[in-house]
Amino acid sequence: MLKTWVVAPTCLPRVIRRCHGCASDRFRTDGKFRVNAHHKLLDVWLLALCTACGDTTKLTVLERAHVRSVRPELLDRLHDNDAVLAAELLQDPVVRRRNRIALDWDDAWRLDTGVPDHLDHEVLDVSVRFAARIPVRPVRLIAEGCGLSRAEAEGLLAEGKLVSAVRLTGKLSGDFTFMLKP
């Protein structure tokens, strides 16, 4: 029987970017936007605070965009400081590249397995689905979901009892399936 596990975000990830005020490289954001109008042109930034000194940095979302080119529902979400929109924009590769940032997902996600007793079954067949593009090591997910240590999960992989069509030793951020044999 195929089980489904879900990797879901619990909060917005920290932003990796060098702070100009101190030596820190981590910022946290709570989904606040700043919208600035210059006649018929808009600038929009996502605000982030340095985790060490509290300095604010602005992550550019829109730059000199014509007011009529921005959908009214998007503008409403920006004015309402929509945290879901902030999460979507942080996932956007164009926004990340423009601002030269990376995301730190440590302690910002959880694994929902549904049933805690997975090792009682003969063969465990699992489909892992990602609710957001969160880079995680599959061996770590499998160890956490099955109540094993990472070393035990890596041992099962080396013995051939843990099988998947994808490489389980690197990081993944997309859906995959695996099978755990007794």
Side-chain angles (χ1 to χ4, degrees):
M1 185 166 127
L2 183 68
K3 302 269 186 201
T4 302
W5 293 359
V6 178
V7 178
T10 56
C11 60
L12 292 172
R14 284 186 297 273
V15 174
I16 301 173
R17 180 182 192 174
R18 183 142 175 83
C19 178
H20 296 291
C22 68
S24 176
D25 65 348
R26 296 288 192 272
F27 287 82
R28 63 178 161 67
T29 182
D30 54 1
K32 299 243 189 279
F33 292 95
R34 174 153 184 229
V35 180
N36 198 8
H38 305 278
H39 301 286
K40 295 180 182 178
L41 301 176
L42 288 178
D43 287 327
V44 178
W45 300 281
L46 176 62
L47 303 177
L49 297 173
C50 177
T51 56
C53 69
D55 258 4
T56 301
T57 189
K58 299 185 290 188
L59 306 176
T60 302
V61 175
L62 293 175
E63 193 170 32
R64 300 293 177 179
H66 198 278
V67 174
R68 291 182 189 228
S69 69
V70 180
R71 295 185 329 270
E73 55 272 0
L74 175 61
L75 198 53
D76 289 341
R77 290 176 73 187
L78 291 167
H79 284 297
D80 293 340
N81 293 318
D82 188 350
V84 174
L85 177 62
E88 292 170 8
L89 291 170
L90 284 173
Q91 294 278 324
D92 186 358
V94 174
V95 171
R96 291 201 324 247
R97 190 172 33 255
R98 177 187 297 150
N99 292 287
R100 297 185 186 103
I101 62 169
L103 301 178
D104 177 11
W105 282 98
D106 290 347
D107 302 322
W109 60 272
R110 72 174 185 278
L111 176 66
D112 295 327
T113 59
V115 183
D117 59 331
H118 296 296
L119 297 177
D120 297 340
H121 304 289
E122 287 293 316
V123 174
L124 181 63
D125 195 10
V126 177
S127 169
V128 179
R129 191 177 65 76
F130 286 78
R133 296 193 56 78
I134 303 170
V136 182
R137 295 186 187 282
V139 171
R140 178 181 175 191
L141 289 177
I142 294 166
E144 185 177 322
C146 294
L148 303 169
S149 69
R150 263 184 70 187
E152 290 172 322
E154 288 171 353
L156 291 171
L157 181 62
E159 293 172 14
K161 294 183 177 182
L162 185 56
V163 182
S164 179
V166 299
R167 197 178 97 218
L168 298 176
T169 53
K171 284 192 176 185
L172 284 178
S173 58
D175 300 350
F176 69 97
T177 59
F178 73 90
M179 185 180 300
L180 181 60
K181 300 174 186 175

